Amino acid sequence: MNIYKNSIFILFAHPALQKSRVNKQLIRYVRDIEGVTFHDLYEEYPDFHIHVAREQQLLVKHDIIVFHHPLFWFSVPALLKEWMDLVLEHMWAYGKKGMALKGKKLLSVISTGGRESLYQEKGYNRHTMGEFLYPIAQTARVCGMDYLPPFVVHGTHTITKEEISRHGEDYRKIVTGLRDGTIDLELARTLTKLNSDTDHILTEQEE
Ligand SMILES: Cc1cc2nc3c(=O)[nH]c(=O)nc-3n(C[C@H](O)[C@H](O)[C@H](O)COP(=O)(O)O)c2cc1C
């Protein structure tokens, strides 16, 4: 039985975790939190043969779904895209009778090689992270889900170990806050990313 306000499902997708600097550390801060199910897609399905019914059962059991992945070509890694294509079925996730995910929340947790300054209208990438995330945000909406502002770690090539740890702490606070319902979501929605002022959006600090 879930004793927490919300159960959290972290759908993690990184095809080369052994080479990871950032995400390998970030997941250490959240994977063992009580009330959180950590699901490593590349570990579960190295051959890309996704067990659709199993994934759907896992989704139904949780209140908040987290897509955690590095940004690959301004999008999700291939296995997460395959997962979306197969698991979010018509008449299950969307369509007239597709109500399975209605009312759940979706959060993107993303790392990018590019620095934050590149993700501006006048920057090298010409668009903000929010704009690059429109396909996921709209997927969530079509499934009747509530898409939260993302948690983003930029500049992974130059980020220091201390900065990674700080992001890890923030990630843990946000996941715990979502689990306990102690995040001011109204305030959070005014931010372009959830971790731009983590302590500000928490209505109670974790112990
Ligand atoms: C195939 C591939 C595509 C990538 N595409 C982007 C991109 O579109 N934008 C960006 O900022 N970084 C991009 N990167 C950099 C990754 O986002 C970065 O290496 C990752 O976030 C680092 O996380 P890690 O240390 O956990 O591997 C790409 C990396 C790879 C391997």
Side-chain angles (χ1 to χ4, degrees), residues 146-200:
D146 174 18
Y147 190 65
L148 299 171
F151 181 105
V152 190
V153 176
H154 285 294
T156 56
H157 305 312
T158 50
I159 195 170
T160 63
K161 275 188 189 160
E162 291 70 29
E163 284 168 327
I164 297 172
S165 306
R166 214 157 7 89
H167 286 300
E169 296 289 353
D170 281 350
Y171 188 16
R172 178 159 54 206
K173 284 183 193 173
I174 282 174
V175 169
T176 310
L178 287 171
R179 180 196 70 178
D180 298 340
T182 55
I183 289 191
D184 182 340
L185 289 175
E186 289 247 325
L187 191 58
R189 281 181 220 287
T190 64
L191 304 174
T192 51
K193 55 178 192 191
L194 271 194
N195 51 324
S196 53
D197 195 351
T198 305
D199 288 331
H200 194 48

Coordinates of all heavy atoms in Angstrom, one line a residue, residues 146-200:
D146 N -1.1 16.2 -16.9 CA -0.7 17.5 -16.6 C 0.8 17.6 -16.7 O 1.5 16.9 -16.0 CB -1.2 17.7 -15.1 CG -0.7 19.0 -14.5 OD1 -0.3 19.9 -15.3 OD2 -0.7 19.1 -13.3
Y147 N 1.3 18.4 -17.7 CA 2.8 18.4 -17.9 C 3.4 19.5 -17.1 O 3.0 20.7 -17.2 CB 3.0 18.7 -19.4 CG 4.5 18.5 -19.8 CD1 5.1 17.3 -19.7 CD2 5.2 19.6 -20.2 CE1 6.5 17.2 -20.0 CE2 6.6 19.5 -20.6 CZ 7.2 18.2 -20.5 OH 8.5 18.1 -20.8
L148 N 4.3 19.2 -16.2 CA 5.0 20.1 -15.3 C 6.2 20.8 -16.0 O 6.7 20.3 -17.0 CB 5.5 19.4 -14.1 CG 4.4 18.7 -13.3 CD1 5.0 17.8 -12.2 CD2 3.4 19.7 -12.6
P149 N 6.6 22.0 -15.5 CA 7.8 22.5 -16.0 C 9.0 21.5 -15.8 O 9.0 20.8 -14.8 CB 8.1 23.8 -15.2 CG 6.7 24.1 -14.6 CD 6.0 22.8 -14.4
P150 N 9.9 21.4 -16.8 CA 10.9 20.4 -16.7 C 12.0 20.7 -15.6 O 12.2 21.8 -15.2 CB 11.6 20.4 -18.1 CG 11.4 21.8 -18.5 CD 10.1 22.3 -17.9
F151 N 12.7 19.6 -15.3 CA 14.0 19.8 -14.4 C 15.1 19.6 -15.4 O 15.2 18.5 -16.1 CB 14.0 18.6 -13.4 CG 15.1 18.6 -12.5 CD1 15.0 19.1 -11.1 CD2 16.4 18.2 -12.9 CE1 16.1 19.1 -10.3 CE2 17.5 18.2 -12.0 CZ 17.3 18.6 -10.7
V152 N 15.9 20.6 -15.6 CA 17.0 20.6 -16.6 C 18.4 20.8 -16.0 O 18.6 21.8 -15.3 CB 16.7 21.6 -17.7 CG1 17.6 21.4 -18.9 CG2 15.2 21.6 -18.2
V153 N 19.3 20.0 -16.5 CA 20.7 20.2 -16.1 C 21.4 20.5 -17.4 O 21.5 19.6 -18.3 CB 21.3 18.9 -15.5 CG1 22.8 19.1 -15.2 CG2 20.6 18.6 -14.1
H154 N 21.9 21.7 -17.6 CA 22.6 22.1 -18.8 C 24.1 22.0 -18.7 O 24.6 21.9 -17.6 CB 22.3 23.6 -19.1 CG 20.9 23.8 -19.6 ND1 20.4 23.4 -20.8 CD2 19.9 24.6 -19.1 CE1 19.2 23.8 -21.0 NE2 18.8 24.5 -20.0
G155 N 24.7 22.0 -19.8 CA 26.2 22.1 -19.9 C 26.9 20.9 -19.3 O 27.9 21.1 -18.5
T156 N 26.5 19.7 -19.7 CA 27.1 18.5 -19.0 C 28.6 18.3 -19.3 O 29.2 17.6 -18.5 CB 26.3 17.3 -19.5 OG1 26.3 17.2 -20.9 CG2 24.9 17.3 -19.0
H157 N 29.1 18.9 -20.3 CA 30.5 18.6 -20.7 C 31.4 19.4 -19.7 O 32.5 19.0 -19.5 CB 30.8 19.0 -22.1 CG 29.9 18.2 -23.1 ND1 29.6 16.9 -23.0 CD2 29.1 18.7 -24.1 CE1 28.8 16.5 -24.0 NE2 28.5 17.6 -24.6
T158 N 30.9 20.5 -19.2 CA 31.8 21.3 -18.4 C 31.4 21.4 -16.9 O 32.1 22.0 -16.1 CB 31.8 22.8 -19.0 OG1 30.5 23.2 -19.1 CG2 32.6 22.8 -20.3
I159 N 30.3 20.8 -16.6 CA 29.7 20.9 -15.2 C 30.7 20.2 -14.2 O 31.3 19.2 -14.5 CB 28.3 20.2 -15.2 CG1 27.6 20.6 -14.0 CG2 28.4 18.7 -15.4 CD1 26.1 20.1 -14.0
T160 N 30.8 20.8 -13.0 CA 31.8 20.3 -12.0 C 31.0 19.2 -11.2 O 29.8 19.1 -11.2 CB 32.2 21.3 -11.1 OG1 31.1 21.8 -10.3 CG2 32.9 22.5 -11.8
K161 N 31.8 18.4 -10.5 CA 31.3 17.3 -9.6 C 30.4 17.9 -8.6 O 29.3 17.4 -8.2 CB 32.4 16.6 -8.9 CG 33.0 15.5 -9.7 CD 33.9 14.7 -8.9 CE 34.7 13.7 -9.7 NZ 35.9 13.3 -9.0
E162 N 30.8 19.1 -8.1 CA 30.0 19.8 -7.0 C 28.6 20.2 -7.6 O 27.6 20.1 -6.9 CB 30.7 21.0 -6.5 CG 32.0 20.7 -5.6 CD 33.1 20.1 -6.5 OE1 33.2 20.5 -7.7 OE2 33.9 19.4 -5.9
E163 N 28.7 20.7 -8.8 CA 27.4 21.2 -9.4 C 26.5 20.0 -9.7 O 25.3 20.0 -9.5 CB 27.7 21.9 -10.7 CG 28.2 23.3 -10.5 CD 28.7 24.0 -11.8 OE1 29.3 23.2 -12.7 OE2 28.6 25.2 -12.0
I164 N 27.1 18.8 -10.1 CA 26.3 17.6 -10.3 C 25.6 17.2 -9.0 O 24.4 16.9 -8.9 CB 27.1 16.5 -10.9 CG1 27.7 16.8 -12.3 CG2 26.3 15.2 -11.0 CD1 28.7 15.8 -12.8
S165 N 26.4 17.3 -7.9 CA 25.8 16.9 -6.6 C 24.7 17.8 -6.2 O 23.7 17.4 -5.7 CB 26.9 17.0 -5.5 OG 28.0 16.2 -5.8
R166 N 24.9 19.1 -6.5 CA 23.8 20.1 -6.1 C 22.5 19.8 -6.9 O 21.4 19.8 -6.4 CB 24.3 21.5 -6.4 CG 23.7 22.5 -5.4 CD 24.5 23.8 -5.3 NE 25.6 24.1 -6.1 CZ 25.5 24.7 -7.3 NH1 24.3 25.1 -7.8 NH2 26.6 25.0 -8.0
H167 N 22.7 19.5 -8.2 CA 21.5 19.1 -9.0 C 20.9 17.8 -8.5 O 19.7 17.7 -8.4 CB 21.9 18.9 -10.5 CG 22.2 20.2 -11.2 ND1 21.2 21.2 -11.4 CD2 23.3 20.7 -11.8 CE1 21.7 22.2 -12.0 NE2 23.0 21.9 -12.3
G168 N 21.8 16.9 -8.0 CA 21.2 15.6 -7.4 C 20.4 15.9 -6.2 O 19.3 15.3 -6.0
E169 N 20.9 16.8 -5.3 CA 20.1 17.2 -4.1 C 18.8 17.8 -4.5 O 17.7 17.5 -3.9 CB 20.9 18.2 -3.3 CG 22.2 17.7 -2.7 CD 22.0 16.7 -1.6 OE1 20.9 16.4 -1.2 OE2 23.0 16.1 -1.2
D170 N 18.8 18.7 -5.5 CA 17.6 19.3 -6.0 C 16.6 18.3 -6.6 O 15.4 18.4 -6.3 CB 17.9 20.4 -7.0 CG 18.4 21.7 -6.4 OD1 18.3 21.9 -5.2 OD2 18.9 22.6 -7.2
Y171 N 17.2 17.4 -7.3 CA 16.3 16.3 -7.9 C 15.6 15.5 -6.8 O 14.4 15.3 -6.8 CB 17.2 15.4 -8.8 CG 16.5 14.4 -9.6 CD1 15.1 14.5 -9.9 CD2 17.3 13.4 -10.2 CE1 14.5 13.5 -10.8 CE2 16.7 12.4 -11.0 CZ 15.3 12.5 -11.3 OH 14.7 11.6 -12.1
R172 N 16.4 15.2 -5.8 CA 15.8 14.4 -4.6 C 14.7 15.2 -3.9 O 13.7 14.7 -3.6 CB 16.9 14.0 -3.6 CG 16.3 13.3 -2.4 CD 17.2 12.4 -1.7 NE 18.4 13.2 -1.2 CZ 19.6 12.6 -1.0 NH1 19.7 11.3 -1.2 NH2 20.6 13.3 -0.6
K173 N 15.0 16.5 -3.7 CA 14.0 17.4 -3.1 C 12.7 17.4 -3.9 O 11.6 17.4 -3.4 CB 14.5 18.8 -2.9 CG 15.5 19.0 -1.8 CD 15.9 20.4 -1.7 CE 17.1 20.6 -0.8 NZ 17.6 22.0 -0.8
I174 N 12.9 17.6 -5.2 CA 11.7 17.7 -6.1 C 10.9 16.4 -6.1 O 9.7 16.4 -6.0 CB 12.1 18.2 -7.4 CG1 12.3 19.7 -7.3 CG2 11.0 18.0 -8.5 CD1 12.8 20.5 -8.5
V175 N 11.6 15.3 -6.3 CA 10.9 14.0 -6.3 C 10.2 13.7 -5.0 O 9.0 13.3 -4.9 CB 11.8 12.8 -6.7 CG1 11.2 11.5 -6.5 CG2 12.3 13.0 -8.1
T176 N 10.9 14.0 -3.9 CA 10.3 13.8 -2.5 C 9.1 14.8 -2.4 O 8.0 14.4 -1.8 CB 11.3 14.1 -1.4 OG1 12.5 13.3 -1.8 CG2 10.8 13.6 -0.1
G177 N 9.2 16.0 -2.8 CA 8.2 17.0 -2.7 C 6.9 16.6 -3.5 O 5.8 16.8 -3.1
L178 N 7.2 16.1 -4.7 CA 6.1 15.6 -5.6 C 5.4 14.4 -4.9 O 4.1 14.3 -4.9 CB 6.6 15.2 -6.9 CG 7.0 16.4 -7.9 CD1 7.6 15.8 -9.1 CD2 5.8 17.2 -8.3
R179 N 6.2 13.5 -4.3 CA 5.6 12.4 -3.6 C 4.7 12.8 -2.5 O 3.6 12.3 -2.2 CB 6.8 11.5 -3.1 CG 6.3 10.3 -2.4 CD 7.4 9.7 -1.6 NE 7.8 10.5 -0.4 CZ 8.7 10.2 0.5 NH1 9.4 9.1 0.3 NH2 9.0 11.0 1.5
D180 N 5.2 13.8 -1.7 CA 4.5 14.2 -0.5 C 3.5 15.3 -0.7 O 2.8 15.7 0.2 CB 5.5 14.7 0.6 CG 6.5 13.6 1.0 OD1 6.1 12.4 0.7 OD2 7.6 13.9 1.5
G181 N 3.4 15.8 -1.9 CA 2.5 16.9 -2.2 C 2.9 18.2 -1.6 O 2.1 19.0 -1.2
T182 N 4.2 18.4 -1.4 CA 4.7 19.6 -0.7 C 5.3 20.6 -1.7 O 6.2 21.4 -1.3 CB 5.7 19.3 0.4 OG1 6.7 18.5 -0.1 CG2 5.0 18.5 1.5
I183 N 4.9 20.5 -3.0 CA 5.4 21.5 -3.9 C 4.3 22.4 -4.3 O 3.2 22.0 -4.5 CB 6.0 20.8 -5.2 CG1 7.3 20.1 -4.8 CG2 6.2 21.8 -6.3 CD1 8.1 19.6 -5.9
D184 N 4.6 23.7 -4.3 CA 3.6 24.7 -4.7 C 3.5 24.7 -6.2 O 4.3 25.3 -6.9 CB 4.0 26.1 -4.1 CG 3.0 27.1 -4.5 OD1 2.2 26.9 -5.4 OD2 3.0 28.2 -3.8
L185 N 2.6 23.9 -6.7 CA 2.5 23.7 -8.2 C 2.1 25.0 -8.9 O 2.6 25.2 -10.0 CB 1.5 22.6 -8.5 CG 2.0 21.2 -8.1 CD1 1.0 20.1 -8.4 CD2 3.3 20.8 -8.8
E186 N 1.3 25.8 -8.3 CA 1.0 27.1 -8.9 C 2.2 27.9 -9.2 O 2.4 28.5 -10.3 CB 0.0 27.9 -8.0 CG -1.3 27.4 -7.8 CD -2.4 28.3 -8.4 OE1 -2.2 29.5 -8.4 OE2 -3.3 27.8 -9.0
L187 N 3.0 28.0 -8.1 CA 4.3 28.8 -8.2 C 5.2 28.1 -9.2 O 5.9 28.7 -10.0 CB 4.9 28.8 -6.8 CG 6.1 29.8 -6.6 CD1 5.7 31.2 -6.9 CD2 6.5 29.7 -5.1
A188 N 5.3 26.7 -9.1 CA 6.2 26.0 -10.0 C 5.9 26.2 -11.5 O 6.8 26.3 -12.3 CB 6.1 24.5 -9.7
R189 N 4.6 26.4 -11.8 CA 4.2 26.6 -13.2 C 4.6 27.9 -13.7 O 4.6 28.1 -14.9 CB 2.6 26.5 -13.3 CG 2.2 25.0 -13.3 CD 0.7 25.0 -13.4 NE 0.1 23.9 -12.6 CZ 0.2 22.7 -12.8 NH1 0.8 22.2 -13.9 NH2 -0.4 21.8 -12.0
T190 N 5.0 28.8 -12.8 CA 5.5 30.1 -13.3 C 7.0 30.1 -13.7 O 7.5 31.0 -14.3 CB 5.3 31.3 -12.3 OG1 6.2 30.9 -11.2 CG2 3.9 31.4 -11.8
L191 N 7.6 29.0 -13.4 CA 9.1 28.8 -13.7 C 9.3 28.1 -15.1 O 8.5 27.3 -15.5 CB 9.7 28.0 -12.6 CG 9.6 28.5 -11.2 CD1 10.2 27.4 -10.2 CD2 10.2 29.8 -11.0
T192 N 10.4 28.5 -15.7 CA 10.7 27.8 -17.0 C 11.2 26.4 -16.7 O 11.1 25.5 -17.5 CB 11.6 28.6 -17.9 OG1 12.8 28.9 -17.1 CG2 11.0 29.8 -18.5
K193 N 11.9 26.3 -15.6 CA 12.3 24.9 -15.2 C 12.2 24.8 -13.6 O 12.4 25.8 -12.9 CB 13.8 24.6 -15.6 CG 14.8 25.6 -15.2 CD 16.2 25.1 -15.6 CE 17.2 26.0 -14.9 NZ 18.5 26.1 -15.1
L194 N 11.8 23.6 -13.2 CA 11.5 23.4 -11.8 C 12.6 23.7 -10.9 O 12.5 24.1 -9.8 CB 11.1 21.9 -11.6 CG 9.6 21.5 -11.7 CD1 9.4 20.2 -11.2 CD2 8.7 22.5 -11.1
N195 N 13.9 23.4 -11.4 CA 15.0 23.5 -10.6 C 15.7 24.9 -10.7 O 16.8 25.1 -10.3 CB 16.1 22.5 -10.9 CG 16.4 22.3 -12.3 OD1 15.6 22.5 -13.2 ND2 17.7 22.0 -12.6
S196 N 14.9 25.9 -11.2 CA 15.6 27.3 -11.2 C 15.6 27.9 -9.8 O 16.4 28.7 -9.5 CB 14.9 28.2 -12.3 OG 13.6 28.2 -12.1
D197 N 14.6 27.4 -9.0 CA 14.6 27.9 -7.6 C 13.9 26.8 -6.7 O 12.7 27.0 -6.3 CB 13.8 29.3 -7.5 CG 14.1 30.0 -6.2 OD1 14.7 29.3 -5.3 OD2 13.8 31.1 -6.0
T198 N 14.6 25.7 -6.6 CA 14.0 24.5 -5.9 C 13.4 24.8 -4.6 O 12.2 24.5 -4.3 CB 15.0 23.4 -5.9 OG1 15.5 23.2 -7.2 CG2 14.4 22.1 -5.3
D199 N 14.1 25.5 -3.7 CA 13.7 25.7 -2.3 C 12.4 26.6 -2.3 O 11.6 26.4 -1.4 CB 14.8 26.3 -1.4 CG 15.9 25.2 -1.2 OD1 15.5 24.0 -1.2 OD2 17.0 25.6 -1.0
H200 N 12.4 27.5 -3.2 CA 11.2 28.4 -3.3 C 9.9 27.7 -3.5 O 8.9 28.1 -3.0 CB 11.5 29.4 -4.4 CG 10.7 30.6 -4.4 ND1 10.4 31.4 -3.3 CD2 10.0 31.2 -5.4 CE1 9.7 32.4 -3.6 NE2 9.4 32.3 -4.9

